């Protein structure tokens, strides 16, 4: 080869090398993560789940997510707001962190300092972390997002929507004035702050159509506008430093009741109801976040995950969600726990995939850690051993393998062991919570039987359902002379024993929100120490049923 030929080839070689280097760098760069969470969204409300236009509430942006990514059909949350969000943030069953129920404003407390969160774990992998929207994991300074691994939180809301109406005389004119004064004093509105700094209140929240942050108050209808604005602002800032991977958690307040759509969405749904208008608003705001991600060309290296915190609240017409399953938010039925979830990740997740693996909000922790290239911590933040219930979904997302999870446990507020359990396609229901398991939803309008206390009774002999053939849990096949399935208890016992053994080695934390739920019996008090000692000495054993 002549010298001139060599010189001609050099630029091509350099270009090829640079192209390889850029490609390799892109491969090495950790993906960004965008987690979008809505509130109380019904399994059947959204277009990919048979809702959308057919429910009078078009969801074109969520439809597009499903078309470009993976839609989950056996994705589980917890049965109410606080435990659902605790499970997602910590990757742990809520009773492990003590976050099993919803706290009233003014109670303080919240997510223990020792817990890891999505934010704090991803910080160890070099991520920039950001939180906006509904938190609902406590109001003490140590329990806020900016104290739990998030570099910044903006327009963070500490309660469910209805909590902001408690002190409002137009909502509850019969409230004692002293109690109203207390709620006005202790209820915190929009909170913002950076890590290491005290959080500050931006403005109060009330239940009216007012948008006056300059006067110190904004109404429920406008909250999600500020959540959307915060999310977009963060993405614009993150785009200026593309070498730094980011994790942003956007939590919309809708569609928790009372659904008060922003004025521009009033009667914009086909249905013209508050709930349908609010779903249209939610879909539009999710679309704005995703449009900004695409506009900034951040989408190609971003894992986007959307889900909701718990099953639908069905019993507030027309201000509630829809699910084809039995039961409602607050129960161990499928309707209280099976929720919509969609993931997008260009180049990793194929378009239009419909997945039926058993997965859930608990699994975001292990999945995001795997995506970031790190392992989960072995100890908590107080350097004590910690147990995660999270399973890595990455093989499912990328199509490289099946998920490792074959079971799911359902809990209500005061349960250490599950009120129901699913192993593969079979489900055992022990705690029927809701007046002996009577109908909820459309067959029990306004009675809301599924939300009356922690349990109706606990059954020694459970109900058994085949969720493949009977996803509505209508046909108990445990001791039926045609289809008896007593043998399923072998697999349920095995799964529950494995769970119970983890409590011996990794004791749950103190409940972070307690209220009076009825008398504590003397026999229960005396039995407590005996059971604890028995677990330590003998482990956990569950006998098999004898049949009929």
């Amino acid at each position: 080869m002549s010298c001139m030929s060599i010189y001609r080839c050099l630029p091509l070689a350099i270009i090829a090398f640079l192209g390889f280097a850029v490609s390799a760098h892109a491969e090495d760069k950790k993906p960004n993560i965008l987690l979008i969470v809505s509130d109380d969204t019904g399994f059947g409300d959204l277009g990919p789940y048979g809702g959308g236009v057919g429910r009078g509430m078009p969801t074109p942006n969520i439809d597009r997510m499903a078309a470009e990514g993976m839609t989950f059909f056996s994705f589980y949350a917890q049965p109410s707001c606080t435990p659902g969000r605790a499970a997602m943030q910590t990757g742990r069953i809520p009773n492990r962190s003590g976050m099993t129920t919803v706290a009233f404003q003014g109670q303080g407390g919240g997510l223990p300092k020792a817990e890891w969160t999505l934010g704090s774990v991803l910080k160890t992998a070099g991520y920039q972390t950001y939180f906006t929207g509904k938190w609902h994991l406590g109001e003490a300074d140590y329990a806020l997002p900016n104290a739990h691994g998030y570099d910044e939180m903006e327009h963070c809301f500490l309660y469910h929507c209805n909590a902001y109406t408690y002190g409002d005389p137009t909502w509850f004119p019969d409230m004692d004035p002293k109690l109203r004064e207390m709620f006005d004093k202790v209820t915190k509105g929009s909170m913002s702050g950076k890590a290491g700094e005290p959080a500050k209140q931006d403005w109060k929240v009330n239940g009216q159509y007012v948008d006056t942050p300059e006067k110190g108050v904004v109404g429920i209808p406008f909250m999600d506008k500020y959540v959307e604005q915060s999310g977009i602002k963060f993405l614009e800032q993150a785009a200026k430093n593309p070498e730094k991977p980011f994790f942003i958690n956007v939590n919309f307040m809708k569609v928790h009741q009372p659904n008060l759509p922003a004025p521009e969405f009033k009667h914009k749904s086909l249905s013209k109801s508050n709930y349908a208008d609010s779903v249209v608003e939610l879909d539009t705001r999710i679309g704005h976040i995703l449009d900004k991600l695409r506009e900034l060309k951040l989408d190609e290296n971003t894992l986007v995950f959307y889900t909701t915190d718990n099953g639908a609240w069905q019993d507030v017409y027309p201000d509630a969600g829809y699910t084809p399953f039995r039961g409602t938010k607050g129960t161990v039925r499928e309707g209280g726990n099976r929720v919509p979830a969609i993931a997008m990740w260009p180049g990793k997740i194929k378009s239009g995939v419909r997945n039926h693996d058993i997965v859930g909000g608990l699994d975001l922790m292990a999945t995001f850690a795997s995506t970031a290239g790190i392992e989960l911590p072995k100890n908590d933040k107080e350097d004590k051993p910690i147990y995660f219930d999270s399973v890595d979904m990455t093989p499912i997302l990328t199509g490289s393998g099946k998920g490792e999870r074959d079971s799911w446990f359902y809990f209500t507020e005061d349960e250490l062991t599950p009120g129901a359990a699913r192993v593969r396609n079979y489900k055992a229901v022990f705690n029927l919570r809701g007046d002996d398991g009577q109908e909820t939803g459309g067959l029990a309008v306004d009675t809301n039987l599924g939300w009356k206390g922690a349990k109706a009774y606990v059954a020694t002999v459970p109900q058994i359902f085949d969720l493949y053939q009977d996803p509505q849990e209508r046909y108990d096949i445990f001791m039926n002379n045609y289809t008896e399935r007593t043998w399923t208890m072998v697999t349920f016992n095995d799964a529950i024993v494995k769970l119970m053994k983890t409590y011996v080695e990794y004791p749950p934390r103190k409940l972070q929100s307690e209220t009076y739920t009825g008398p504590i019996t003397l026999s229960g008090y005396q039995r407590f120490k005996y059971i604890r000692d028995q677990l330590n000495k003998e482990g956990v054993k569950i006998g098999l049923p004898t049949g009929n």
Side-chain angles (χ1 to χ4, degrees), residues 517-530:
T517 57
I520 299 172
T521 64
L522 288 170
S523 58
Y525 171 76
Q526 292 168 353
R527 198 162 50 231
F528 172 74
K529 186 175 186 303
Y530 167 76

Side-chain angles (χ1 to χ4, degrees), residues 386-465:
I386 189 170
Y387 186 91
F388 290 95
D389 302 281
S390 194
V391 175
D392 183 10
M393 293 187 287
T394 305
I396 297 173
L397 298 178
T398 60
S400 61
K402 293 285 290 181
E404 294 182 9
R405 182 185 291 286
D406 67 355
S407 63
W408 189 264
F409 300 112
Y410 308 69
F411 296 88
T412 54
E413 281 96 331
D414 201 31
E415 292 173 336
L416 180 63
T417 54
R422 176 179 178 177
V423 178
R424 292 180 286 279
N425 58 302
Y426 285 106
K427 178 178 179 180
V429 180
F430 299 90
N431 177 0
L432 295 180
R433 185 178 184 171
D435 194 23
D436 196 14
Q438 286 193 29
E439 297 87 351
T440 57
L443 297 179
V445 174
D446 293 333
T447 56
N448 207 2
L449 293 175
W451 197 252
K452 303 288 185 181
K455 62 189 178 186
Y457 71 86
V458 176
T460 303
V461 177
Q463 292 183 341
I464 299 291
F465 303 98

Side-chain angles (χ1 to χ4, degrees), residues 87 174 188 207-208 210 246 278 341 369 382:
D174 57 331
K188 298 179 180 179
Q208 305 299 317
V210 294
F246 66 77
S278 295
E382 293 176 347

Side-chain angles (χ1 to χ4, degrees), residues 330-406:
T331 73
V332 295
R333 297 292 191 189
E334 291 297 286
N337 295 267
R338 207 188 295 200
V339 298
I342 304 171
M344 297 191 305
W345 193 1
K348 299 287 188 179
I349 297 176
K350 293 181 179 179
S351 299
V353 180
R354 296 162 65 89
N355 180 272
H356 294 273
D357 290 298
I358 300 173
V359 286
L362 281 170
D363 299 328
L364 295 177
M365 174 65 88
T367 304
F368 291 172
S370 174
T371 299
I374 57 173
E375 294 185 357
L376 292 177
K378 298 293 189 295
N379 293 334
D380 67 15
K381 289 185 176 180
E382 293 176 347
D383 206 29
K384 296 177 182 176
I386 189 170
Y387 186 91
F388 290 95
D389 302 281
S390 194
V391 175
D392 183 10
M393 293 187 287
T394 305
I396 297 173
L397 298 178
T398 60
S400 61
K402 293 285 290 181
E404 294 182 9
R405 182 185 291 286
D406 67 355

Side-chain angles (χ1 to χ4, degrees), residues 423-424 428 430 462 464 478 485-498 542-545:
V423 178
R424 292 180 286 279
F430 299 90
I464 299 291
F478 183 59
R485 293 294 196 281
T486 53
W487 55 265
T488 58
M489 286 306 297
V490 175
T491 54
F492 289 121
N493 283 359
D494 182 57
I496 293 171
V497 163
K498 288 178 181 177
I542 302 178
L544 293 176

Side-chain angles (χ1 to χ4, degrees), residues 52-66:
V53 173
R55 287 269 294 127
M57 49 189 80
T59 55
N61 295 291
I62 292 173
D63 295 355
R64 180 178 175 181
M65 289 185 71

Side-chain angles (χ1 to χ4, degrees), residues 191-211:
M191 304 295 291
S192 298
K194 295 183 178 180
E197 298 177 1
K200 295 181 180 179
Q201 181 172 265
D202 308 305
W203 25 261
K204 288 275 192 181
V205 178
N206 68 12
Q208 305 299 317
Y209 272 84
V210 294
D211 186 15

Side-chain angles (χ1 to χ4, degrees), residues 8 22 52 87 98 103 138 204 274 291 371 389 426 441 444 499 503:
R8 287 192 189 99
V22 170
K204 288 275 192 181
N274 278 348
D291 287 344
T371 299
D389 302 281
Y426 285 106
L499 170 68
Y503 294 139

